[in-house]
Amino acid sequence: LNMIAAAIPATTVLFYISDSLKQEAKGGYFLLTYFLAALLAVKPILHLLKKFKAIDLWLVNNGLVILTFALAFLLNQENYQLYYLICLITGFGLAADLIIPYILLNQLTAKISGQGMLYGIWNFITKLALALGAAIALFSLDYLAYDNYLEADFNWPINLVYALLPCLFKILNSIMLLIYRHQLSSNDV
């Protein structure tokens, strides 16, 4: 679920920047901000993981990303500068999303033989989720007749798919984490 949430904006980000924010020339700067924030967040995330349980940190991260990313729904060419802030915060969230699931998987499977095979299955599922997320995003844009709103001041179909649809999957991921939190916490995760 979390990887589907990541795949949807990854598929639609350039549409969002050019057709909603109307800032195609700044696309590289937005992406640089996002990935640089993720890179710079690795060390703080690892530090936080020494103080807090991974499951709790992931839940807090999901909440922060959901709140921040939902704001992207409200943006257009009039207030596009706020997108830099969204890129910073969600870039930090990306670092947590890339680190924490592997830490959880490692802690859950540390005593299981065939751990390498489990990592292979995990990576396969991750790739499958990325493809599924891209398909969901593109199908949704087509279904919502996204191209009918290209000249509009507020391109709600791209904003909905880019910003709110990933939030839905993040919420579902958080619910799943809460359901299994006790099991994950009992394994010192």
Side-chain angles (χ1 to χ4, degrees):
L1 293 172
N2 196 59
M3 289 311 298
I4 293 172
I8 292 170
T11 303
T12 57
V13 65
L14 295 177
F15 298 127
Y16 176 78
I17 291 169
S18 68
D19 299 334
S20 185
L21 302 181
K22 311 284 190 214
Q23 300 298 320
E24 189 171 355
K26 291 182 173 57
Y29 297 114
F30 291 129
L31 292 173
L32 179 65
T33 301
Y34 176 72
F35 286 112
L36 192 56
L39 179 65
L40 294 174
V42 170
K43 192 169 183 175
I45 294 291
L46 292 174
H47 178 73
L48 287 170
L49 283 165
K50 291 177 184 173
K51 295 183 175 205
F52 302 100
K53 290 185 174 192
I55 190 80
D56 294 335
L57 194 57
W58 200 7
L59 284 164
V60 169
N61 178 68
N62 279 353
L64 181 63
V65 169
I66 289 165
L67 290 174
T68 304
F69 217 66
L71 294 176
F73 176 76
L74 303 173
L75 299 184
N76 60 24
Q77 70 265 18
E78 305 283 323
N79 54 10
Y80 77 89
Q81 297 90 346
L82 291 172
Y83 190 58
Y84 283 109
L85 180 62
I86 290 170
C87 289
L88 277 172
I89 295 170
T90 57
F92 188 91
L94 172 66
D97 282 342
L98 292 175
I99 294 168
I100 295 172
Y102 283 97
I103 288 174
L104 290 172
L105 181 64
N106 184 54
Q107 291 174 343
L108 288 170
T109 62
K111 297 175 184 166
I112 297 174
S113 64
Q115 188 180 31
M117 183 181 74
L118 292 173
Y119 274 97
I121 292 169
W122 180 275
N123 284 319
F124 173 77
I125 291 169
T126 299
K127 302 302 184 259
L128 187 62
L130 290 172
L132 183 60
I136 290 168
L138 295 174
F139 173 78
S140 298
L141 287 176
D142 184 51
Y143 180 78
L144 296 171
Y146 148 76
D147 52 343
N148 291 342
Y149 297 89
L150 293 177
E151 302 303 318
D153 288 336
F154 183 69
N155 189 329
W156 70 268
I158 187 64
N159 286 33
L160 178 79
V161 172
Y162 174 76
L164 297 184
L165 193 55
C167 290
L168 173 66
F169 283 97
K170 278 280 195 190
I171 289 168
L172 293 173
N173 174 254
S174 296
I175 291 168
M176 184 187 74
L177 290 173
L178 286 169
I179 290 170
Y180 292 104
R181 184 178 186 193
H182 179 70
Q183 278 183 290
L184 294 171
S185 294
S186 66
N187 288 319
D188 294 319
V189 178

